[in-house]
Amino acid sequence: MLNAHNITVSFAGEDLFSSITFKLDAGNRVGLVGKNGAGKSTLLKIIAKEQEYDKGTLALEKDIRIGFLKQDIDFVYGRTVLEEAYEAFTEIKEVERKLDIINIALAERTDYESESYNQLMVDLSDLTHQYEVIGGYNYQGDTEKILQGLGFKREDFNMLTDTFSGGWRMRIELAKLLLQNNDILLLDEPTNHLDIESIIWLEEFLKKYAGAIMLVSHDKMFLDNTTNRTIEISLGKIYDYKYPYSKYLVQRKELKEKQLQAFKNQEKEIKHTEQLIEKFRAKANKASMAQSLIKKLNRVERIEVDADDNSVMKVRFPMSKQSGKVVVEAENVAKNYGDNQVLSNVNLLIERSSKIAFVGQNGQGKTTLAKMIVNEIPFDGKLKLGHNVQIGYFAQNQAEYLDGNKTVLQTMEDASTDGNRVKVRDMLGAFLFGGDDVEKKAKVLSGGERNRLALCKMLLSPFNMLVMDEPTNHLDIASKNVLKQALNSFEGTLIVVSHDRDFLQGLAKTIYEFKDGHIKEYLGDIDYYLEEHKLENLREVEKRTKIVKVKDTSAKEAYQNTKKNQKQLKKLQNRLAKIESDIANLERELANIDMELLDGEKYAELTSKPDFFDNYQAKKNKVESLMVDWEKLHERLEN
């Protein structure tokens, strides 16, 4: 499907990566990994033909369709969610436009016997057939299924995209890609902004995807569940392994150990040969042997050990003066967005030096409460900060507040004070922005680099309380670990919103669970919280499906219950498939009738039948009735 050979990309005279070669075939599910700024997003842009490369060749099979989900997207304002999602169907929309033109012309004309009128009828027939072949009668239903899988409700479909956050707009863009039936899917951080249920849904979708996939992600579990191959970009080279991420790490380590051992053995052998050469060179009768050994040594292919990029950012959160013992106190706090009551009657008291995690489904109020604490949004009830509390806040979309036209250095200098301006370059160096990197504009930085810059900028002001909302989005695994260490060393109060169990382990000492508008406190770490729920990971917490623990049930009874549930599930799925088939058949019949009604002779013939209009209306009513049944069945299946 795709063949990249010796691709080289340079910025400001330095190679980002050099002479990289790989193939992409149908069925490949490639996890593209590497540190922030290694060139992962750049490589995706090159494959998507959105960026040029300096050397090499990129060959694609003829008529290959590529879908690309970027980290940053531009939206046309004024469209509803459904209208934006329908933009995926460019061919269908074009055929619809042509059908509308023909139907209007047929309705206005009366020259039924003319050649041009007959041609319109032929064109209508051809376009109607094409419309059916390319899925014109199914695309609306497919769109609704995909949108619901990504977390949208039916009442959201006719809302303007302008009213949704960047994360939800990203889901619409993802829905469009999944609907386009592309041959190659390029996904850059697709799980950012998705809740756990949507991530699990996306995993299942990608597992069944027939084409090739190349995705960038720092979510280890997502990579393991969706990929069968890993390509790492490191220090300008690529390393290609036919394993998902966790197995790749094992293989990479084993290969490095073997390389190192082979390198040591070779060095030992070379040293021994060099000693013999020196020994024989001094003796006239052994000079020929010395020359022979020299030639042998020159022919040796030196073993190289793959270099590792061990550079990591250095983070230390500045502590301001000590706060009072109580840092946050809330009483009967509530928040609603229109008719949606997100939080109600919330009471909490947070003491100095607490390390707290907010967990739960998206939409349950975690980010909302964080914004209320930092006084970013209005709310009902009482919430006050304690004595001397100074807050540092890292929002989910913190990097979006950066001015794309400013350089990295300008961004920091403009936010600095006279007291810390001299430290700006040292701070940037600690966050891996060294040399000419400080002259890069923010808009050309990768998502992870922008997050690093936003973190660095935040450290210009000291604080004694830190509120962080999904701080690990876009950060590579090494950077996540460094951030976690810095937060553990922070002496102030910490509130972190996250669904990353690895990140929260050993960090949060108290867990607040958000569910159904209320919060519940657990005085223990994330492992204790999961233990209390009899769960293995945070994914289970964030699923909407309730987990029911059956007590005092024998193994036989449990098996019978499972078998019964599976039988009921299969029955519902069969009924749903039957209804979908009936709807498609009826819609096809109605479309054929509508086309026949445009023919003057057939119109007279059809309408002369006494029960024609009753039958016609009955078919329409049946479609509406079946749609209602479909919705009810679909809801039962979800539950």
Side-chain angles (χ1 to χ4, degrees), residues 69-73 150-152 164-174 188-199 202 217 219 361-363 366-367 394-400 447 450-451 469-474 499 542 544:
L69 180 74
K70 294 176 278 191
Q71 287 184 14
D72 304 308
I73 53 175
L150 288 170
F152 288 94
F164 288 88
S165 68
W168 283 97
R169 292 204 294 271
M170 183 70 80
R171 294 186 194 207
I172 301 171
E173 192 69 14
L174 179 56
D188 197 354
E189 302 274 17
T191 60
N192 284 351
H193 310 295
L194 293 186
D195 60 17
I196 292 299
E197 190 171 1
S198 296
I199 290 174
L202 179 59
S217 178
D219 183 330
Q361 285 175 229
N362 273 14
K366 303 187 301 293
T367 296
F394 188 89
Q396 260 191 53
N397 57 344
Q398 189 75 33
E400 293 177 15
R450 287 201 300 272
N451 255 26
D469 192 358
E470 299 289 3
T472 60
N473 277 357
H474 298 295
H499 61 249
E542 298 190 30
R544 292 193 180 98

Side-chain angles (χ1 to χ4, degrees), residues 181-425:
N181 198 26
N182 292 295
D183 302 296
I184 299 176
L185 266 186
L186 307 175
L187 306 175
D188 197 354
E189 302 274 17
T191 60
N192 284 351
H193 310 295
L194 293 186
D195 60 17
I196 292 299
E197 190 171 1
S198 296
I199 290 174
I200 292 170
W201 180 91
L202 179 59
E203 286 176 356
E204 292 303 314
F205 185 95
L206 295 179
K207 284 175 188 176
K208 299 170 186 173
Y209 191 74
I213 300 167
M214 181 175 278
L215 62 90
V216 175
S217 178
H218 301 300
D219 183 330
K220 290 186 286 187
M221 189 176 291
F222 181 73
L223 285 169
D224 282 341
N225 288 342
T226 56
T227 64
N228 54 22
R229 178 179 167 194
T230 301
I231 293 179
E232 179 191 17
I233 304 180
S234 178
L235 299 174
K237 297 181 179 179
I238 66 167
Y239 303 90
D240 197 343
Y241 294 82
K242 294 180 179 179
Y243 303 101
Y245 186 74
S246 292
K247 288 185 179 179
Y248 140 77
L249 289 176
V250 174
Q251 293 294 321
R252 181 91 163 87
K253 184 180 178 183
E254 288 179 357
L255 177 64
K256 184 74 180 292
E257 288 172 352
K258 288 177 182 177
Q259 279 184 338
L260 195 57
Q261 189 58 49
F263 175 77
K264 288 179 179 177
N265 292 338
Q266 189 183 62
E267 285 294 297
K268 190 176 178 181
E269 186 67 28
I270 289 171
K271 188 175 181 181
H272 177 66
T273 304
E274 287 174 342
Q275 288 172 344
L276 287 175
I277 291 170
E278 287 301 313
K279 183 178 178 181
F280 294 154
R281 185 177 278 164
K283 299 177 181 179
N285 61 338
K286 297 287 180 76
S288 61
M289 290 181 66
Q291 289 300 315
S292 177
L293 287 172
I294 290 170
K295 289 177 181 178
K296 178 184 175 183
L297 196 60
N298 289 335
R299 289 197 300 269
V300 171
E301 189 173 332
R302 302 294 175 114
I303 294 171
E304 291 185 6
V305 179
D306 293 337
D308 288 329
D309 186 355
N310 295 316
S311 58
V312 292
M313 63 179 183
K314 299 178 180 66
V315 185
R316 184 177 176 277
F317 292 104
M319 182 72 178
S320 64
K321 57 189 174 183
Q322 193 177 67
S323 67
K325 185 178 181 182
V326 175
V327 292
V328 178
E329 191 173 2
E331 184 180 344
N332 293 327
V333 167
K335 177 63 181 177
N336 65 287
Y337 296 97
D339 295 331
N340 183 17
Q341 189 72 38
V342 179
L343 293 171
S344 59
N345 298 322
V346 171
N347 298 285
L348 66 98
L349 187 144
I350 299 175
E351 295 187 346
R352 182 180 60 226
S353 300
S354 299
K355 294 278 199 296
I356 294 169
F358 288 176
V359 303
Q361 285 175 229
N362 273 14
Q364 292 293 336
K366 303 187 301 293
T367 296
T368 296
L369 183 56
K371 288 182 176 179
M372 286 155 58
I373 290 171
V374 300
N375 200 29
E376 193 171 281
I377 57 173
F379 55 88
D380 298 319
K382 296 179 181 178
L383 189 153
K384 64 177 183 178
L385 301 180
H387 180 63
N388 280 342
V389 172
Q390 295 177 307
I391 297 180
Y393 177 48
F394 188 89
Q396 260 191 53
N397 57 344
Q398 189 75 33
E400 293 177 15
Y401 293 111
L402 299 174
D403 186 338
N405 292 315
K406 287 184 179 180
T407 66
V408 170
L409 185 59
Q410 286 172 337
T411 299
M412 288 292 288
E413 286 182 337
D414 291 351
S416 64
T417 62
D418 292 337
N420 58 23
R421 190 165 290 119
V422 293
K423 299 179 182 177
V424 162
R425 282 186 177 269

Side-chain angles (χ1 to χ4, degrees), residues 16-265:
L16 179 64
F17 42 75
S18 175
S19 301
I20 65 172
T21 297
F22 64 92
K23 289 183 179 180
L24 199 59
D25 296 316
N28 286 169
R29 289 167 170 75
V30 180
L32 189 59
V33 302
K35 304 193 76 169
N36 295 139
K40 302 184 297 294
S41 296
T42 299
L43 183 56
L44 293 186
K45 288 176 183 175
I46 288 170
I47 295 172
K49 298 182 179 179
E50 291 197 1
Q51 184 168 319
E52 296 294 324
Y53 48 93
D54 298 298
K55 297 177 185 175
T57 57
L58 184 70
L60 289 164
E61 285 183 14
K62 190 178 179 182
D63 299 326
I64 284 287
R65 291 169 298 179
I66 298 176
F68 182 26
L69 180 74
K70 294 176 278 191
Q71 287 184 14
D72 304 308
I73 53 175
D74 296 319
F75 259 86
V76 176
Y77 290 96
R79 289 178 185 156
T80 66
V81 171
L82 272 181
E83 286 170 343
E84 184 64 47
Y86 288 159
E87 290 298 308
F89 303 100
T90 51
E91 187 180 2
I92 289 176
K93 300 301 286 184
E94 178 61 20
V95 174
E96 281 184 342
R97 187 185 66 80
K98 290 178 179 177
L99 284 170
D100 287 341
I101 292 171
I102 291 175
N103 284 324
I104 290 170
L106 289 172
E108 292 175 348
R109 293 174 61 164
T110 56
D111 54 333
Y112 306 125
E113 303 301 324
S114 68
E115 184 64 30
S116 59
Y117 190 90
N118 183 58
Q119 186 58 49
L120 281 176
M121 294 300 298
V122 171
D123 292 342
L124 180 64
S125 177
D126 291 343
L127 284 170
T128 302
H129 177 68
Q130 182 186 353
Y131 189 69
E132 182 177 355
V133 168
I134 62 177
Y137 297 114
N138 301 320
Y139 80 95
Q140 294 178 337
D142 291 340
T143 302
E144 293 183 10
K145 288 178 189 176
I146 295 288
L147 288 172
Q148 286 178 318
L150 288 170
F152 288 94
K153 299 175 183 175
R154 282 193 169 274
E155 52 264 36
D156 298 330
F157 290 171
N158 293 315
M159 293 176 63
L160 293 175
T161 58
D162 315 18
T163 62
F164 288 88
S165 68
W168 283 97
R169 292 204 294 271
M170 183 70 80
R171 294 186 194 207
I172 301 171
E173 192 69 14
L174 179 56
K176 287 160 63 177
L177 282 183
L178 300 183
L179 286 161
Q180 283 171 349
N181 198 26
N182 292 295
D183 302 296
I184 299 176
L185 266 186
L186 307 175
L187 306 175
D188 197 354
E189 302 274 17
T191 60
N192 284 351
H193 310 295
L194 293 186
D195 60 17
I196 292 299
E197 190 171 1
S198 296
I199 290 174
I200 292 170
W201 180 91
L202 179 59
E203 286 176 356
E204 292 303 314
F205 185 95
L206 295 179
K207 284 175 188 176
K208 299 170 186 173
Y209 191 74
I213 300 167
M214 181 175 278
L215 62 90
V216 175
S217 178
H218 301 300
D219 183 330
K220 290 186 286 187
M221 189 176 291
F222 181 73
L223 285 169
D224 282 341
N225 288 342
T226 56
T227 64
N228 54 22
R229 178 179 167 194
T230 301
I231 293 179
E232 179 191 17
I233 304 180
S234 178
L235 299 174
K237 297 181 179 179
I238 66 167
Y239 303 90
D240 197 343
Y241 294 82
K242 294 180 179 179
Y243 303 101
Y245 186 74
S246 292
K247 288 185 179 179
Y248 140 77
L249 289 176
V250 174
Q251 293 294 321
R252 181 91 163 87
K253 184 180 178 183
E254 288 179 357
L255 177 64
K256 184 74 180 292
E257 288 172 352
K258 288 177 182 177
Q259 279 184 338
L260 195 57
Q261 189 58 49
F263 175 77
K264 288 179 179 177
N265 292 338

